[in-house]
Structure formats: structure tokens, C-alpha cells
Amino acid sequence: MHNPYLPYPVRIDKVVVETEDRQLRSYWFEFVHEEHAQAFRHFPGQFAELSIAGYGEIPIGIASSPTEGNKLLFTVNRAGKVTTRLHNMGEGEIMGIRGPLGNSYPLEENRGKNIVIVAGGFAVTTLRATMHWLLHPDNRKDYGTIDFIYGARTPGMLLYRDELKQWQERDDVRCHITIDREAEGWDGLVGFVPTIAEQAEPRPDNAIALICGPPIMIKFTQPVFDKMGWNGDQIFMSLENRMKCGIGICGRCNVGPYYVCKDGPVFSKTQLDGLPQDY
Ligand SMILES: Cc1cc2nc3c(=O)[nH]c(=O)nc-3n(C[C@H](O)[C@H](O)[C@H](O)COP(=O)(O)OP(=O)(O)OC[C@H]3O[C@@H](n4cnc5c(N)ncnc54)[C@H](O)[C@@H]3O)c2cc1C
Ligand code: FES
């Protein structure tokens, strides 16, 4: 049996600087050993623990979809010790990965439904994986309308800009890409994500919404969905608690009766309603 604490070695295949402030970088990893690539079977919404010897281990959402092959994408904000070290690493360097960890977005069990995706800031990562999965020809036909609502502070802080452009050009996706304030050269939507969600007015009939973003965005988005008649079983949110083991053993990440690492990170709004506000 594979020891769940033992990371698989991965090689950095490609690094992309995503944002104008250079604080967010995307890393494509390839597994050093093919059998590890085969063992690592993930689904959109899951995360992994990335480790760098001598620095530590951090949970990061998996930004690539399994429909994209065996390479894995992670987009990392430079926040502290481990993420700064990662930002200083380049193509060809080896590090570790443990996972896939946690649950995933409920896409399989909601085939046949309309999907609304709401993302704020760099929390869009696992929703990128979701978009790739939904738009794959094997899956797209099984879902109704797709609304993709995504906001960043400025145009230069939007992630995956080439892909956003491709999604905007498709006639089977309603893209609502917004920035906080008017900016030179920007002719798209302007306004905070909750306001744009209100304007897009996605209907709750036969639909689910997947929401991921900073707590302030979630706080103001929830009442918008309530007002439009969505119920708590149709809304799924991904949490980002502090973690250590990532597998439900250390007790570092709990919220009420849940371990975010194992029971989440994706929870329905119904599950979260009534829990202590420590997430
Ligand atoms: C399920 C999950 C998915 C995540 N996905 C991503 C992702 O896709 N991209 C990404 O850039 N980050 C993501 N994070 C956050 C990421 O794990 C932290 O930013 C990282 O652990 C910081 O490590 P560090 O050693 O560089 O920073 P540290 O030196 O440990 O801390 C630096 C700063 O970051 C804060 N911080 C540390 N851990 C967290 C955390 N878990 N959540 C919020 N703030 C934290 C600290 O309070 C401190 O202010 C995710 C976290 C979780 C739990
Ligand atoms: S991180 Fe250890 S129990 Fe969740």
C-alpha cells in the first residue's frame, strides 16, 4: 500500500508568470516516474500537497483537468516561505507532490444540469480545471448552459488570459469577466463579482453553482443567490483552511464536525450554514 505521507517526485516542466505584479506563477509538473502518473487520478476541485525539501509542504488546488493528460498545473501566489522558494525554482527542478487530496466538485452527479461558476481572484484555479473538464467534448454534451463569472482587481491580475479569450469566443459559454474599476484599454465588464452575478441573473432551475473566492466575495455573493431563489443544496463552495496532514489525521483544518482536507474542501451551502464562522 502507498504511504499517504510519501510524496511522488515531479519535475517542473514549464513556468508561466501569470500576473502583471509577478506574484502569481503557474507551474506545469510532470511525474518523474510513469507509475506515479498512473496512480495520481484526480478530479476538478481536489488539491495536492506540494513539498520542497528543507522548506516545507503546502496545500495547493489542482488547476488542470484530468482531460488535459498526465501533466499537472498549479498556480501559486507568493505568500511566504514555501511559495517564495517555489517562485525561485525553474524548469527542470525536482520537487514532491502528495495527493490527490480532498473531495471534488459534484460534476458527475449533476450531469444534465446548467452550471454556474463564480470565481474571485486567484481562487479561480480549481474552477479552471472545472471549465476544462466541462468543455471537453466527452462531457460538454451532458450539461446545459454554462455561466462563467470571474473577477479580478485589474486586467493584469486576471489568470489564464489566453484561455479566457477562447472561452469568450465560444457560443456555448456565457463568460462574464470583470475587473473592480475602470482601467485603460479595458472594454469589458466593470464591477465586483456579486454585482456582476446579480446582473447575469443565472436561474436556479435545474442548476448548480460552484463558488470559490476570497471570504469577502463569498459573503456578498451568497445573498445574491438567495435572492434569485437558489437553495443551499445547489450551491457549492471551496474552503481554504490551514492544513498540515491533508488526510484527516492531524485535526489542523477542522470546521465544526468537518475536516476541510478530507470532508472538503468543497461543501454545499447547506452543510456550511449553521457551522461556526471559523472558515
Ligand atoms: C485546499 C487549499 C487550496 C489552496 N490552493 C491554493 C492555490 O491554488 N494557489 C495558492 O497560491 N494558494 C493556495 N492555497 C493557499 C496556500 O496553501 C498558502 O498560501 C500556502 O500554504 C502559504 O505557504 P507559505 O509557506 O509560502 O507561506 P507561510 O510562510 O506559511 O505563510 C505566509 C502567509 O500566508 C498565510 N497562509 C498560510 N497558509 C494559508 C492557507 N492555507 N490559506 C490562506 N492563507 C494562508 C499565512 O497566514 C501568512 O500570512 C490553498 C490552500 C488550501 C488549504
Ligand atoms: S490537515 Fe490534518 S486533519 Fe485536515
Side-chain angles (χ1 to χ4, degrees):
M1 202 187 107
H2 177 73
N3 176 349
Y5 286 110
L6 213 57
Y8 298 134
V10 282
R11 182 180 299 111
I12 300 174
D13 181 51
K14 192 175 165 196
V15 183
V16 179
V17 176
E18 291 278 357
T19 52
E20 65 189 3
D21 66 358
R22 304 182 71 81
Q23 289 296 306
L24 278 138
R25 290 177 190 220
S26 283
Y27 294 82
W28 281 100
F29 290 127
E30 60 186 358
F31 288 89
V32 172
H33 304 293
E34 177 56 26
E35 67 267 30
H36 294 159
Q38 293 309 319
F40 195 103
R41 290 280 163 244
H42 76 287
F43 199 73
Q46 289 193 285
F47 68 99
E49 289 279 349
L50 301 184
S51 55
I52 304 174
Y55 288 83
E57 204 184 35
I58 51 169
I60 301 286
I62 305 172
S64 54
S65 161
T67 52
E68 293 179 275
N70 282 341
K71 287 184 185 165
L72 295 174
L73 179 70
F74 295 88
T75 300
V76 179
N77 177 42
R78 187 148 70 98
K81 197 174 152 209
V82 181
T83 51
T84 298
R85 172 65 192 136
L86 182 55
H87 270 234
N88 291 330
M89 289 173 71
E91 289 162 14
E93 290 196 71
I94 305 282
M95 50 188 287
I97 185 171
R98 203 155 62 77
L101 301 172
N103 67 358
S104 52
Y105 292 117
L107 300 173
E108 289 289 8
E109 51 273 58
N110 284 289
R111 282 185 192 266
K113 294 197 178 159
N114 299 326
I115 309 287
V116 179
I117 288 175
V118 185
F122 67 86
V124 70
T125 57
T126 56
L127 293 171
R128 175 202 179 273
T130 306
M131 281 296 281
H132 272 263
W133 192 88
L134 287 170
L135 296 180
H136 190 273
D138 285 352
N139 300 320
R140 181 65 191 95
K141 60 187 182 322
D142 291 346
Y143 297 90
T145 55
I146 297 177
D147 279 274
F148 179 74
I149 303 167
Y150 168 38
R153 285 202 310 275
T154 63
M157 292 303 287
L158 286 166
L159 300 182
Y160 318 127
R161 272 170 276 174
D162 291 345
E163 290 171 329
L164 297 182
K165 221 176 276 162
Q166 288 169 23
W167 298 341
Q168 283 175 310
E169 282 164 9
R170 291 178 68 121
D171 54 15
D172 63 342
V173 181
R174 292 196 286 244
C175 275
H176 317 262
I177 314 287
T178 184
I179 56 164
D180 287 358
R181 257 165 245 102
E182 300 279 356
E184 215 181 297
W186 176 259
D187 58 1
L189 296 171
V190 176
F192 295 121
V193 166
T195 311
I196 300 302
E198 197 165 9
Q199 288 165 5
E201 215 183 345
R203 298 184 55 78
D205 321 76
N206 194 37
I208 59 164
L210 313 175
I211 304 177
C212 197
I216 186 81
M217 185 208 92
I218 306 261
K219 183 172 167 219
F220 287 104
T221 301
Q222 281 186 6
V224 169
F225 275 76
D226 291 345
K227 214 167 83 186
M228 292 187 294
W230 290 69
N231 69 50
D233 296 330
Q234 297 176 281
I235 299 177
F236 297 88
M237 290 177 281
S238 185
L239 302 190
E240 266 203 17
N241 273 33
R242 297 295 196 83
M243 291 180 186
K244 207 82 196 156
C245 70
I247 52 174
I249 290 176
C250 71
R252 181 90 155 87
C253 66
N254 80 301
V255 182
Y258 300 121
Y259 289 129
V260 175
C261 66
K262 194 161 100 18
D263 304 313
V266 177
F267 294 92
S268 71
K269 182 169 178 291
T270 302
Q271 280 176 301
L272 296 178
D273 281 345
L275 283 183
Q277 288 292 313
D278 48 3
Y279 61 87

